[in-house]
Amino acid sequence: MSEKNLVTAVRDALHDELAADDRVVLLGEDVGNRGGVFRVSAGWMEEFGEDRIIDTPLAESGIVGVAIGMAMHGMLPVAEIQFADFIFPAFDQIVSEAARIRYRSNGDFSCPLVIRTPCGGGIHGALYHSQSIEAFFAHVPGLKVVMPSTPFDAAGLLRSALRDPDPVLFLEHKKAYRAVTGDVPDGPYEVPIGLADVKREGDALTCVSYGYTLHICLEAAGRLAQEDGIEVEVVDVRTLAPLDMVTILDSVRRTSKAMVVYEDNRTYGAGAEIAATIAEEAMDDLDAAIVRLGGPDIPAMPFAAPLEHFFMDPEPDHIYRRMRELALA
Amino acid sequence: MSEKNLVTAVRDALHDELAADDRVVLLGEDVGNRGGVFRVSAGWMEEFGEDRIIDTPLAESGIVGVAIGMAMHGMLPVAEIQFADFIFPAFDQIVSEAARIRYRSNGDFSCPLVIRTPCGGGIHGALYHSQSIEAFFAHVPGLKVVMPSTPFDAAGLLRSALRDPDPVLFLEHKKAYRAVTGDVPDGPYEVPIGLADVKREGDALTCVSYGYTLHICLEAAGRLAQEDGIEVEVVDVRTLAPLDMVTILDSVRRTSKAMVVYEDNRTYGAGAEIAATIAEEAMDDLDAAIVRLGGPDIPAMPFAAPLEHFFMDPEPDHIYRRMRELALA
Amino acid sequence: MSTRVAQPLHETLGLTSDDLLAMYRIVLTARLLDEASLRQNRMGRAPFVVPAEGHEACQVGTAWAMRKGVDVWLPYYRDTAVVLTAGMTPYELFLGIFAKADDPSSGGRQMPSHWGCKRLGIITSSSPIATQLPHASGIAYAMKYRGEEAVVAAWFGDGATSEGDWHEALNFAGIHKLPVIFVCENNHYAISVPQAKQMAVQDVATRAEGYGFPGVVVDGNDVLACYAAMKTARERALAGEGPTLIECKTYRFLGHTSDDDDKTYRTRDEVAEARGHDPVEVFSTYLADHGVLDTHGADELRTQVKEEIDVAIATAWDAPDPTPESAMRHVFAEEPA
Amino acid sequence: MSTRVAQPLHETLGLTSDDLLAMYRIVLTARLLDEASLRQNRMGRAPFVVPAEGHEACQVGTAWAMRKGVDVWLPYYRDTAVVLTAGMTPYELFLGIFAKADDPSSGGRQMPSHWGCKRLGIITSSSPIATQLPHASGIAYAMKYRGEEAVVAAWFGDGATSEGDWHEALNFAGIHKLPVIFVCENNHYAISVPQAKQMAVQDVATRAEGYGFPGVVVDGNDVLACYAAMKTARERALAGEGPTLIECKTYRFLGHTSDDDDKTYRTRDEVAEARGHDPVEVFSTYLADHGVLDTHGADELRTQVKEEIDVAIATAWDAPDPTPESAMRHVFAEEPA
Ligand SMILES: Cc1ncc(C[n+]2csc(CCOP(=O)(O)OP(=O)(O)O)c2C)c(N)n1
Ligand SMILES: Cc1ncc(C[n+]2csc(CCOP(=O)(O)OP(=O)(O)O)c2C)c(N)n1
Ligand SMILES: [Mg+2]
Ligand SMILES: [Mg+2]
């Protein structure tokens, strides 16, 4: 066991995979000499060679498209998109190509590709270095979408992603990169894709979240326990697609109250699917209306500190307050 | 009043706008001599000139990007994407550019752009000429997303879209193009963007839908009235973004039962937002769990007739049967 | 090897009479297959078909230089004759046209002509134009990385050159000097959009220089010229010298697909003038001139191929449809049973 | 007008001494503004700044040929000196750097250097690289359509040339012979990625031919060479002859942004060698050589500019922040109150 932050857990796991299997390559902008803008691959170009740590041209569609070709010809590419906000030029290659290759070929071809990208806000990234992108991709049949909230899950899920025979979009929250630390086993282990995880047990209500927001929920739950003696169960979605509604519904049925919290713009966000499914499947078990908290429906966080803060926390402690309200309802 | 089908209503409205205002131009692949693959602009190149009916290179990002430039310089471009399935290369221009121009410039610039595209399946279009795309775009702050289900709404909403100071994605269901006909006033009129519409009144339950699927719902409601004496209220969403939950909630509160039906892949589809909001806002008014019906989570319809049919109607009359079930629940 | 005077071109290129006959058989098969599939379309048995008529020589010429079982193919929807050269049979093609369960490309899930077959090295393809080009570069990268003695070829139309993906793919291939050949079948139209509205240049090949590799223009009606260009490009790729962009000037004799009416955008005179250089005729004349195939032999071949196609159609038509529930399969890898 | 022997270059180009002084003032302002903003960054008052150092001459040289109030500007984030030439003031720039409510570009919503100002004809810009290029072509189309006597210019880096949007924009502009000028500030790096991994060619300008218009290479350290190229391009555009691609060879002296550490990917020797051709020095030498500005005058100017910047910083720092709730505004047009 070692204590690490999330970005270090990602780095170490990826490093081990590169060392263990030369079908694995990393390609993206500035992954070479610069070691990536978050230093994930610092020193790897020397260690693994220029043909495995590939500085690409500034062209996201090309990065993903080339990686798809590699994946169809015996390699295990990890495509890095420098910021999630810049994945949109590659939307067509991801949605129309990577996600469709198995289906359209009736199972003849497969595309074992991992796309890693740092997402989310709260780091003064302004409109184009702060966005949440999971809702766009979780809707795509044929694509898996993973978003770990802890270093343990990050390393374990990344290994699973690399062993997955289908394309996986691996989302790393930038604020969690250094802000979130935790124990990580030294040996290799996997966290299966497609399973949610109860990160805190409780009986008063079920709070479903993921990514960095999960930690704000855990904090609020901790405060509620301390100050009000209320125990909130916090479920980490971990995998947006395929979505593990079994774990979520099981918790909701036990606590009889549900809230869903996410950083992304609220309307048509990923939390809508979770809330809708709870409503369809567990309405009779609910003691109160579902509460859904998402970001305001404005382009992701403006730059000026007061504006960015407004996006993350439109009213002081809004997650804590809504959690308390629901628990007491 | 004249009776027309949906594609004719679109054509006539667009024609009048072109004739009335020379800031309006149409650009896209094959819109010129070919008159578009659905013949919307047949004859217009001669009528309005090559500089207003612009055959573009085969490049969707360029089409939208160029149209954005035009929109920022005094023109009112209508960009046609030949099939909705081919809009993905333009995802970045639509989401990062068109939808952000007003917000990022703090209101200094605007982007009065209409993007028209034929979407949806049931016309043997196979995986790449059948997709529903509304869920991807309705989630984007700064973008309006409209999807008329009748010729009347199509013409009225298209006029509103052209007068809107912000970008509007205008979705035209290919199966509705010729299958759906209705009365359309001869003079100009507008249908406001952002209002849902009760297409059939009833008290037994509220069925929320849009696009071609709305007509299957209306058919089912008609059959229920005839065969079972059950009156279902059918609400046409019409505008996916901004979403008119007031009209929808008002209906649900009256009928106390809700179902949401859409053609797109079910999971993380647009219906999730509608169902989730009903659950949050009207749970106490509901007499039964919300029913949500979406397409199977497979890439949009395969080509072979049995497979396409399976997508549209996985079990015989599945919409009618679920509607009846809910009404009797 | 020095070239003797009057040595026929095909011999210069290392092609035997048998090679020529095999090539011609494919050219003819493609042509007759087009006619047959359009008949099926008119009969209401094939909702959608894509004719290749006019492109046969440039398709077979370029494809013939590929090494089967080794090289990798990324054809586009018009490439009937490319996939025939790669090893697909008329029967397999009609399984696709009739959307049958055993269609090797997609089991009837995709429109006809959306080729793919792992066994033959034909990469699965989609409808969005030009998306296969970055894949071609990626596969070529993998070949180089793995030290394979092989090349990749990707075919596409003039319209495809306008997509961003085209640019990004060629740029990547040029930077890494990848063993990939880009073949443009320039028929001067993208559906109805004429070349002058697609690009401001006469030759797509002009663009290659900007990616740091050669671009060549060949007469797409001349099967041997196409073969020669491809052979050189393949040798260059294998030698580690990088990509080549080959532009074949060709013409599409029929509508874009069975859904198109080309009278809206082309004069009949223009089409007639292009038919004056019919690549099938050009090839058969060459064969006759060089004593490879006389009129009698040609007629016999035509009868044979026609028969093969008729049998293919009859057998494919009777093949089973996919079952409705099978639509749910292969979204993700299936758990081993 | 015939050129007299020994006529100074600037006169040949129609520039007066006053013009040169005005240009030099902007070059110097950009340089000193960089230094000042990096100081603000180290002081913790500016979380993020983008230095232009090294690019000043090519920015001012190209921008000076534009006609203010008529032409349209699409600069990218490094173009401090372009927007100064277009009419933005140091005060306005610091409003952006400090993310103040009155920042003309975005009211503090975007990162600094994401320029935009309708009044000045500077089109709002974003972070995704190369997206402004299709806009430039669209605006140029609108100008032509509306019969305006004006041009559009878009600036971008060498990295931007790899994006699909770059290709699609240039292709469209070439087809319609639009009045647009594409200016590449080639500093040989995209963050850390060297030109050799960005493209297989020496000169970006090589690519212009493939779009049917001229590409020219100029020394980006030579403000007059850049001006001359731009002037010619503008005349060409106004004459209806279409676009030009101008490539300015330049170098970025500092890190990519205040967040970057360029030591990971460039040797200090390389940077020092580039600094040997500092465009500010080159320009001031020209001015001294031609008796336009002597050392004393230069020192005075520097003091003036410094003062202006200091005042700008002090005033901008005290300007009001945006209010939190204002974050909800301008997603869509607001109803007239
Ligand atoms: C991304 C995308 N946009 C549009 C289309 C519709 N479309 C299909 S084929 C075609 C024209 C292609 O022309 P070209 O590349 O010249 O090939 P050709 O058909 O002439 O052989 C178009 C516009 C598409 N399939 N994909
Ligand atoms: C689409 C997109 N991908 C990646 C980035 C991250 N990024 C910002 S600047 C930059 C390098 C740009 O280099 P270049 O165009 O040469 O301009 P320079 O900074 O050298 O002036 C990159 C990769 C981005 N902003 N947008
Ligand atoms: Mg063509
Ligand atoms: Mg650069």
Side-chain angles (χ1 to χ4, degrees), chain B residues 29-30 58 60 82 86 89 129, chain C residues 55 76-78 127-129 156-160 163 185 187 189-191 252 256:
Chain B
E29 295 155 11
D30 303 292
L58 210 171
E60 288 73 14
Q82 196 163 82
F86 306 139
H129 296 77
Chain C
H55 286 239
Y76 79 119
Y77 50 82
R78 203 167 302 289
S127 302
I129 299 287
F156 52 86
D158 43 304
E163 285 284 1
E185 302 178 29
N187 61 16
Y189 287 92
I191 308 186
R252 154 168 69 73
H256 172 70

Side-chain angles (χ1 to χ4, degrees), chain A residues 58, chain D residues 55 76-78 156-160 184-191 193 198 250 252 256:
Chain A
L58 209 173
Chain D
H55 287 238
Y76 80 119
Y77 51 83
R78 203 167 301 289
F156 51 86
D158 43 303
C184 181
E185 301 178 30
N186 182 355
N187 61 14
H188 310 289
Y189 288 91
I191 308 184
V193 179
Q198 194 68 244
T250 180
R252 155 168 68 72
H256 172 69

Side-chain angles (χ1 to χ4, degrees), chain B residues 22 51 61-62 93 97 103 166, chain D residues 118 126 141 145 165 168 327 333:
Chain B
D22 67 9
D51 55 344
S61 189
Q93 281 290 345
E97 300 299 319
Y103 191 84
D166 288 299
Chain D
K118 201 165 186 179
S126 63
Y141 190 97
Y145 179 75
D165 271 5
E168 300 187 14

Side-chain angles (χ1 to χ4, degrees), chain B residues 22 51-52 54 59 61-62 65-66 69-70 72-75 92-93 97 102-106 108-109 142 166, chain D residues 105-106 109-110 118 122-126 131 134-135 138-139 141-142 145-146 148 165 168 327 329-330 332-333:
Chain B
D22 67 9
D51 55 344
R52 296 187 64 200
I54 308 162
S61 189
V66 160
M70 292 172 170
M72 289 197 287
H73 203 73
M75 294 175 75
D92 193 42
Q93 281 290 345
E97 300 299 319
R102 184 183 297 279
Y103 191 84
R104 79 183 185 211
S105 67
N106 207 23
D108 196 20
F109 284 85
D166 288 299
Chain D
S105 294
S106 75
R109 291 171 169 211
Q110 292 211 74
K118 201 165 186 179
I122 302 171
I123 301 298
T124 173
S125 55
S126 63
T131 51
H135 306 174
I139 294 167
Y141 190 97
Y145 179 75
R146 292 151 51 117
E148 295 172 16
D165 271 5
E168 300 187 14
R329 295 190 57 191
H330 302 307
F332 293 114

Side-chain angles (χ1 to χ4, degrees), chain A residues 9 57 67 71 74 97 153 173 185 196 213 292 319-320:
Chain A
E97 299 300 320
D153 287 347
H173 197 289
T213 311
R292 181 162 57 110
I319 293 177
Y320 164 77

